[in-house]
Amino acid sequence: MSKDVSVELIACLQELHLPTMQAEFQTLALAAQQESSSYPSYLLELAERECQQRRQKRTERLLKESRLPLAKNLQTFDLKRLPTKVVQQVRTLLTGEFVQRQENVLLFGPPGSGKTHCCCALGQELVRSGQRVLFTKCNALVQALLVAKRDLTLKTALRRLTSWDVLIIDDLGYVQQSREEMEVLFALLAERYERGSVLISSNLPFSKWEAIFKDPMTTAAAIDRLVHHSVILELNIPSYRIEQAKKNQSKTEDE
Ligand code: ADP
Ligand code: MG
């Protein structure tokens, strides 16, 4: 390739914002020459590398924005611990079709059963397929909404939260929240209703949600909105932490 062509090509690729093609066109041109590849297959290889790089960058950006704890991923999640029905449900959810249908996912189970890990693993896989996901602890979310309410920016805050493809609200009802706190949470659920998927984990079955939403009407309305289009995962299994602790203990006893 002549020097003039290279210089002009670099300028063009810069103007077109194609940094990977710019970085790799010379090396790939040499390889193509040696392998006698056709012009289109050379161009295809180069374009594919640009696309790949872009997808990777986008995934990295989305993962950062999502605030998902990265260690809780699908590779570190032992699906064999889950009831067979839940494994099937998780596999279906991993296809991401529920996000297109704007369905919700509700995960129930005792502390340590793996609700948070399951949400996060699912969230990360959705990010990798290009979805915009936000992970929040219910308490932190509610506190942020209360601050927004105080600053008279609740509407904007709620609208911003509806822009995510998937909103993960972890640990609903872990602590007994006040009425004001629940009002903002309810406002969020109402705002997102049929506009995007919500993934909620909770230690409390629906029958105890009145402790969260305070009065029977609000509780029924919240459950109604969430359940309308939803998948319910019941992780009625023992705590992973306790199981691990027991295993470790019996190991030390054996030694
Ligand atoms: P929960 O949210 O239901 O209280 P967590 O998801 O926080 O439970 O799980 C508790 C701990 O056990 C975490 O460190 C988590 O990574 C681990 N854990 C739970 N279930 C599994 C599993 N099936 N495979 C691997 N680790 C698990
Ligand atoms: Mg949890």
Side-chain angles (χ1 to χ4, degrees), residues 216-240:
M217 284 295 278
T218 319
T219 309
I223 294 175
D224 195 56
R225 278 171 176 76
L226 284 171
V227 170
H228 187 189
H229 313 279
S230 73
V231 182
I232 296 174
L233 271 60
E234 307 252 14
L235 296 181
N236 289 325
I237 48 175
S239 162
Y240 183 85

PDB file of all heavy atoms in Angstrom, residues 216-240:
ATOM      1  N   PRO A 216     -54.264  -1.971  52.946  1.00  0.00           N
ATOM      2  CA  PRO A 216     -54.642  -3.066  52.036  1.00  0.00           C
ATOM      3  C   PRO A 216     -54.842  -2.623  50.592  1.00  0.00           C
ATOM      4  O   PRO A 216     -54.475  -3.345  49.671  1.00  0.00           O
ATOM      5  CB  PRO A 216     -55.965  -3.585  52.622  1.00  0.00           C
ATOM      6  CG  PRO A 216     -56.113  -2.965  53.946  1.00  0.00           C
ATOM      7  CD  PRO A 216     -55.200  -1.815  54.064  1.00  0.00           C
ATOM      8  N   MET A 217     -55.379  -1.415  50.379  1.00  0.00           N
ATOM      9  CA  MET A 217     -55.651  -0.952  49.014  1.00  0.00           C
ATOM     10  C   MET A 217     -54.360  -0.748  48.226  1.00  0.00           C
ATOM     11  O   MET A 217     -54.233  -1.213  47.096  1.00  0.00           O
ATOM     12  CB  MET A 217     -56.434   0.380  49.057  1.00  0.00           C
ATOM     13  CG  MET A 217     -57.877   0.203  49.411  1.00  0.00           C
ATOM     14  SD  MET A 217     -58.753  -0.719  48.154  1.00  0.00           S
ATOM     15  CE  MET A 217     -59.058   0.591  46.995  1.00  0.00           C
ATOM     16  N   THR A 218     -53.410  -0.032  48.847  1.00  0.00           N
ATOM     17  CA  THR A 218     -52.138   0.226  48.160  1.00  0.00           C
ATOM     18  C   THR A 218     -51.413  -1.091  47.915  1.00  0.00           C
ATOM     19  O   THR A 218     -50.834  -1.293  46.850  1.00  0.00           O
ATOM     20  CB  THR A 218     -51.235   1.166  49.005  1.00  0.00           C
ATOM     21  OG1 THR A 218     -52.058   2.171  49.566  1.00  0.00           O
ATOM     22  CG2 THR A 218     -50.134   1.788  48.177  1.00  0.00           C
ATOM     23  N   THR A 219     -51.454  -1.990  48.913  1.00  0.00           N
ATOM     24  CA  THR A 219     -50.792  -3.286  48.762  1.00  0.00           C
ATOM     25  C   THR A 219     -51.385  -4.040  47.569  1.00  0.00           C
ATOM     26  O   THR A 219     -50.648  -4.523  46.699  1.00  0.00           O
ATOM     27  CB  THR A 219     -50.978  -4.139  50.040  1.00  0.00           C
ATOM     28  OG1 THR A 219     -50.591  -3.351  51.160  1.00  0.00           O
ATOM     29  CG2 THR A 219     -50.138  -5.394  49.992  1.00  0.00           C
ATOM     30  N   ALA A 220     -52.709  -4.077  47.513  1.00  0.00           N
ATOM     31  CA  ALA A 220     -53.371  -4.792  46.415  1.00  0.00           C
ATOM     32  C   ALA A 220     -53.024  -4.148  45.075  1.00  0.00           C
ATOM     33  O   ALA A 220     -52.754  -4.845  44.087  1.00  0.00           O
ATOM     34  CB  ALA A 220     -54.876  -4.798  46.639  1.00  0.00           C
ATOM     35  N   ALA A 221     -53.001  -2.814  45.050  1.00  0.00           N
ATOM     36  CA  ALA A 221     -52.702  -2.110  43.795  1.00  0.00           C
ATOM     37  C   ALA A 221     -51.270  -2.382  43.341  1.00  0.00           C
ATOM     38  O   ALA A 221     -51.009  -2.581  42.149  1.00  0.00           O
ATOM     39  CB  ALA A 221     -52.928  -0.614  43.972  1.00  0.00           C
ATOM     40  N   ALA A 222     -50.340  -2.406  44.303  1.00  0.00           N
ATOM     41  CA  ALA A 222     -48.928  -2.658  43.958  1.00  0.00           C
ATOM     42  C   ALA A 222     -48.769  -4.076  43.413  1.00  0.00           C
ATOM     43  O   ALA A 222     -48.160  -4.298  42.358  1.00  0.00           O
ATOM     44  CB  ALA A 222     -48.037  -2.451  45.183  1.00  0.00           C
ATOM     45  N   ILE A 223     -49.346  -5.038  44.126  1.00  0.00           N
ATOM     46  CA  ILE A 223     -49.237  -6.439  43.703  1.00  0.00           C
ATOM     47  C   ILE A 223     -49.886  -6.622  42.329  1.00  0.00           C
ATOM     48  O   ILE A 223     -49.324  -7.261  41.436  1.00  0.00           O
ATOM     49  CB  ILE A 223     -49.880  -7.390  44.758  1.00  0.00           C
ATOM     50  CG1 ILE A 223     -49.063  -7.335  46.062  1.00  0.00           C
ATOM     51  CG2 ILE A 223     -49.950  -8.827  44.235  1.00  0.00           C
ATOM     52  CD1 ILE A 223     -49.655  -8.128  47.210  1.00  0.00           C
ATOM     53  N   ASP A 224     -51.053  -5.999  42.163  1.00  0.00           N
ATOM     54  CA  ASP A 224     -51.788  -6.103  40.909  1.00  0.00           C
ATOM     55  C   ASP A 224     -50.948  -5.640  39.719  1.00  0.00           C
ATOM     56  O   ASP A 224     -50.859  -6.318  38.696  1.00  0.00           O
ATOM     57  CB  ASP A 224     -53.051  -5.241  41.029  1.00  0.00           C
ATOM     58  CG  ASP A 224     -54.028  -5.562  39.939  1.00  0.00           C
ATOM     59  OD1 ASP A 224     -54.396  -6.744  39.839  1.00  0.00           O
ATOM     60  OD2 ASP A 224     -54.396  -4.656  39.172  1.00  0.00           O
ATOM     61  N   ARG A 225     -50.303  -4.493  39.864  1.00  0.00           N
ATOM     62  CA  ARG A 225     -49.474  -3.956  38.773  1.00  0.00           C
ATOM     63  C   ARG A 225     -48.283  -4.856  38.477  1.00  0.00           C
ATOM     64  O   ARG A 225     -47.936  -5.072  37.329  1.00  0.00           O
ATOM     65  CB  ARG A 225     -48.970  -2.562  39.129  1.00  0.00           C
ATOM     66  CG  ARG A 225     -49.991  -1.491  38.849  1.00  0.00           C
ATOM     67  CD  ARG A 225     -49.549  -0.153  39.411  1.00  0.00           C
ATOM     68  NE  ARG A 225     -50.476   0.900  39.062  1.00  0.00           N
ATOM     69  CZ  ARG A 225     -51.642   1.091  39.630  1.00  0.00           C
ATOM     70  NH1 ARG A 225     -52.053   0.260  40.583  1.00  0.00           N
ATOM     71  NH2 ARG A 225     -52.442   2.073  39.259  1.00  0.00           N
ATOM     72  N   LEU A 226     -47.670  -5.351  39.550  1.00  0.00           N
ATOM     73  CA  LEU A 226     -46.473  -6.174  39.352  1.00  0.00           C
ATOM     74  C   LEU A 226     -46.798  -7.526  38.743  1.00  0.00           C
ATOM     75  O   LEU A 226     -46.094  -8.030  37.884  1.00  0.00           O
ATOM     76  CB  LEU A 226     -45.746  -6.385  40.682  1.00  0.00           C
ATOM     77  CG  LEU A 226     -44.941  -5.190  41.176  1.00  0.00           C
ATOM     78  CD1 LEU A 226     -44.466  -5.450  42.592  1.00  0.00           C
ATOM     79  CD2 LEU A 226     -43.753  -4.934  40.258  1.00  0.00           C
ATOM     80  N   VAL A 227     -47.903  -8.095  39.214  1.00  0.00           N
ATOM     81  CA  VAL A 227     -48.224  -9.474  38.827  1.00  0.00           C
ATOM     82  C   VAL A 227     -48.860  -9.565  37.444  1.00  0.00           C
ATOM     83  O   VAL A 227     -48.749 -10.583  36.770  1.00  0.00           O
ATOM     84  CB  VAL A 227     -49.140 -10.109  39.901  1.00  0.00           C
ATOM     85  CG1 VAL A 227     -49.705 -11.437  39.452  1.00  0.00           C
ATOM     86  CG2 VAL A 227     -48.344 -10.320  41.175  1.00  0.00           C
ATOM     87  N   HIS A 228     -49.467  -8.445  37.009  1.00  0.00           N
ATOM     88  CA  HIS A 228     -50.228  -8.457  35.750  1.00  0.00           C
ATOM     89  C   HIS A 228     -49.496  -9.190  34.617  1.00  0.00           C
ATOM     90  O   HIS A 228     -50.017 -10.112  34.024  1.00  0.00           O
ATOM     91  CB  HIS A 228     -50.575  -7.011  35.360  1.00  0.00           C
ATOM     92  CG  HIS A 228     -51.494  -6.950  34.188  1.00  0.00           C
ATOM     93  ND1 HIS A 228     -51.794  -5.796  33.548  1.00  0.00           N
ATOM     94  CD2 HIS A 228     -52.173  -7.928  33.533  1.00  0.00           C
ATOM     95  CE1 HIS A 228     -52.624  -6.050  32.547  1.00  0.00           C
ATOM     96  NE2 HIS A 228     -52.866  -7.339  32.528  1.00  0.00           N
ATOM     97  N   HIS A 229     -48.266  -8.775  34.315  1.00  0.00           N
ATOM     98  CA  HIS A 229     -47.473  -9.524  33.330  1.00  0.00           C
ATOM     99  C   HIS A 229     -46.209  -9.931  34.055  1.00  0.00           C
ATOM    100  O   HIS A 229     -45.291  -9.120  34.177  1.00  0.00           O
ATOM    101  CB  HIS A 229     -47.078  -8.646  32.143  1.00  0.00           C
ATOM    102  CG  HIS A 229     -48.196  -7.836  31.581  1.00  0.00           C
ATOM    103  ND1 HIS A 229     -49.111  -8.356  30.705  1.00  0.00           N
ATOM    104  CD2 HIS A 229     -48.561  -6.546  31.767  1.00  0.00           C
ATOM    105  CE1 HIS A 229     -49.974  -7.422  30.374  1.00  0.00           C
ATOM    106  NE2 HIS A 229     -49.671  -6.307  31.008  1.00  0.00           N
ATOM    107  N   SER A 230     -46.169 -11.137  34.595  1.00  0.00           N
ATOM    108  CA  SER A 230     -44.979 -11.440  35.391  1.00  0.00           C
ATOM    109  C   SER A 230     -44.620 -12.917  35.428  1.00  0.00           C
ATOM    110  O   SER A 230     -45.428 -13.792  35.109  1.00  0.00           O
ATOM    111  CB  SER A 230     -45.184 -10.964  36.829  1.00  0.00           C
ATOM    112  OG  SER A 230     -46.088 -11.829  37.454  1.00  0.00           O
ATOM    113  N   VAL A 231     -43.377 -13.149  35.814  1.00  0.00           N
ATOM    114  CA  VAL A 231     -42.876 -14.502  36.037  1.00  0.00           C
ATOM    115  C   VAL A 231     -42.481 -14.544  37.518  1.00  0.00           C
ATOM    116  O   VAL A 231     -41.789 -13.637  37.991  1.00  0.00           O
ATOM    117  CB  VAL A 231     -41.613 -14.765  35.188  1.00  0.00           C
ATOM    118  CG1 VAL A 231     -41.110 -16.179  35.379  1.00  0.00           C
ATOM    119  CG2 VAL A 231     -41.893 -14.492  33.712  1.00  0.00           C
ATOM    120  N   ILE A 232     -42.945 -15.559  38.230  1.00  0.00           N
ATOM    121  CA  ILE A 232     -42.629 -15.636  39.655  1.00  0.00           C
ATOM    122  C   ILE A 232     -41.684 -16.798  39.928  1.00  0.00           C
ATOM    123  O   ILE A 232     -41.966 -17.934  39.538  1.00  0.00           O
ATOM    124  CB  ILE A 232     -43.922 -15.747  40.496  1.00  0.00           C
ATOM    125  CG1 ILE A 232     -44.738 -14.453  40.316  1.00  0.00           C
ATOM    126  CG2 ILE A 232     -43.605 -15.974  41.971  1.00  0.00           C
ATOM    127  CD1 ILE A 232     -46.099 -14.468  40.963  1.00  0.00           C
ATOM    128  N   LEU A 233     -40.555 -16.484  40.545  1.00  0.00           N
ATOM    129  CA  LEU A 233     -39.565 -17.513  40.865  1.00  0.00           C
ATOM    130  C   LEU A 233     -39.560 -17.758  42.372  1.00  0.00           C
ATOM    131  O   LEU A 233     -39.348 -16.818  43.148  1.00  0.00           O
ATOM    132  CB  LEU A 233     -38.155 -17.030  40.446  1.00  0.00           C
ATOM    133  CG  LEU A 233     -37.669 -17.326  39.032  1.00  0.00           C
ATOM    134  CD1 LEU A 233     -38.593 -16.701  38.006  1.00  0.00           C
ATOM    135  CD2 LEU A 233     -36.271 -16.803  38.821  1.00  0.00           C
ATOM    136  N   GLU A 234     -39.806 -18.986  42.757  1.00  0.00           N
ATOM    137  CA  GLU A 234     -39.842 -19.302  44.190  1.00  0.00           C
ATOM    138  C   GLU A 234     -38.584 -20.079  44.570  1.00  0.00           C
ATOM    139  O   GLU A 234     -38.445 -21.240  44.223  1.00  0.00           O
ATOM    140  CB  GLU A 234     -41.067 -20.184  44.504  1.00  0.00           C
ATOM    141  CG  GLU A 234     -42.369 -19.617  44.002  1.00  0.00           C
ATOM    142  CD  GLU A 234     -43.248 -19.088  45.116  1.00  0.00           C
ATOM    143  OE1 GLU A 234     -42.749 -18.921  46.247  1.00  0.00           O
ATOM    144  OE2 GLU A 234     -44.431 -18.858  44.842  1.00  0.00           O
ATOM    145  N   LEU A 235     -37.689 -19.408  45.270  1.00  0.00           N
ATOM    146  CA  LEU A 235     -36.449 -20.070  45.695  1.00  0.00           C
ATOM    147  C   LEU A 235     -36.604 -20.574  47.129  1.00  0.00           C
ATOM    148  O   LEU A 235     -35.955 -20.068  48.038  1.00  0.00           O
ATOM    149  CB  LEU A 235     -35.266 -19.088  45.651  1.00  0.00           C
ATOM    150  CG  LEU A 235     -34.846 -18.508  44.310  1.00  0.00           C
ATOM    151  CD1 LEU A 235     -33.656 -17.591  44.483  1.00  0.00           C
ATOM    152  CD2 LEU A 235     -34.475 -19.626  43.358  1.00  0.00           C
ATOM    153  N   ASN A 236     -37.495 -21.532  47.297  1.00  0.00           N
ATOM    154  CA  ASN A 236     -37.673 -22.027  48.660  1.00  0.00           C
ATOM    155  C   ASN A 236     -36.612 -23.064  48.995  1.00  0.00           C
ATOM    156  O   ASN A 236     -36.876 -24.244  49.121  1.00  0.00           O
ATOM    157  CB  ASN A 236     -39.077 -22.601  48.837  1.00  0.00           C
ATOM    158  CG  ASN A 236     -40.092 -21.482  48.845  1.00  0.00           C
ATOM    159  OD1 ASN A 236     -39.805 -20.388  49.356  1.00  0.00           O
ATOM    160  ND2 ASN A 236     -41.243 -21.721  48.256  1.00  0.00           N
ATOM    161  N   ILE A 237     -35.379 -22.573  49.107  1.00  0.00           N
ATOM    162  CA  ILE A 237     -34.248 -23.471  49.390  1.00  0.00           C
ATOM    163  C   ILE A 237     -33.448 -22.911  50.565  1.00  0.00           C
ATOM    164  O   ILE A 237     -33.530 -21.717  50.848  1.00  0.00           O
ATOM    165  CB  ILE A 237     -33.329 -23.638  48.152  1.00  0.00           C
ATOM    166  CG1 ILE A 237     -32.994 -22.257  47.533  1.00  0.00           C
ATOM    167  CG2 ILE A 237     -33.955 -24.543  47.114  1.00  0.00           C
ATOM    168  CD1 ILE A 237     -31.997 -22.316  46.399  1.00  0.00           C
ATOM    169  N   PRO A 238     -32.651 -23.769  51.223  1.00  0.00           N
ATOM    170  CA  PRO A 238     -31.890 -23.275  52.380  1.00  0.00           C
ATOM    171  C   PRO A 238     -30.831 -22.255  51.968  1.00  0.00           C
ATOM    172  O   PRO A 238     -30.474 -22.158  50.803  1.00  0.00           O
ATOM    173  CB  PRO A 238     -31.214 -24.545  52.924  1.00  0.00           C
ATOM    174  CG  PRO A 238     -31.748 -25.690  52.162  1.00  0.00           C
ATOM    175  CD  PRO A 238     -32.444 -25.185  50.957  1.00  0.00           C
ATOM    176  N   SER A 239     -30.342 -21.531  52.963  1.00  0.00           N
ATOM    177  CA  SER A 239     -29.336 -20.491  52.721  1.00  0.00           C
ATOM    178  C   SER A 239     -28.032 -21.097  52.210  1.00  0.00           C
ATOM    179  O   SER A 239     -27.521 -22.073  52.765  1.00  0.00           O
ATOM    180  CB  SER A 239     -29.079 -19.722  54.010  1.00  0.00           C
ATOM    181  OG  SER A 239     -27.855 -19.029  53.913  1.00  0.00           O
ATOM    182  N   TYR A 240     -27.507 -20.496  51.155  1.00  0.00           N
ATOM    183  CA  TYR A 240     -26.228 -20.933  50.576  1.00  0.00           C
ATOM    184  C   TYR A 240     -25.106 -20.715  51.591  1.00  0.00           C
ATOM    185  O   TYR A 240     -24.234 -21.558  51.757  1.00  0.00           O
ATOM    186  CB  TYR A 240     -25.966 -20.114  49.310  1.00  0.00           C
ATOM    187  CG  TYR A 240     -24.711 -20.491  48.563  1.00  0.00           C
ATOM    188  CD1 TYR A 240     -24.716 -21.527  47.640  1.00  0.00           C
ATOM    189  CD2 TYR A 240     -23.520 -19.784  48.754  1.00  0.00           C
ATOM    190  CE1 TYR A 240     -23.585 -21.867  46.932  1.00  0.00           C
ATOM    191  CE2 TYR A 240     -22.373 -20.114  48.039  1.00  0.00           C
ATOM    192  CZ  TYR A 240     -22.416 -21.164  47.130  1.00  0.00           C
ATOM    193  OH  TYR A 240     -21.278 -21.484  46.434  1.00  0.00           O
TER     194      TYR A 240
END
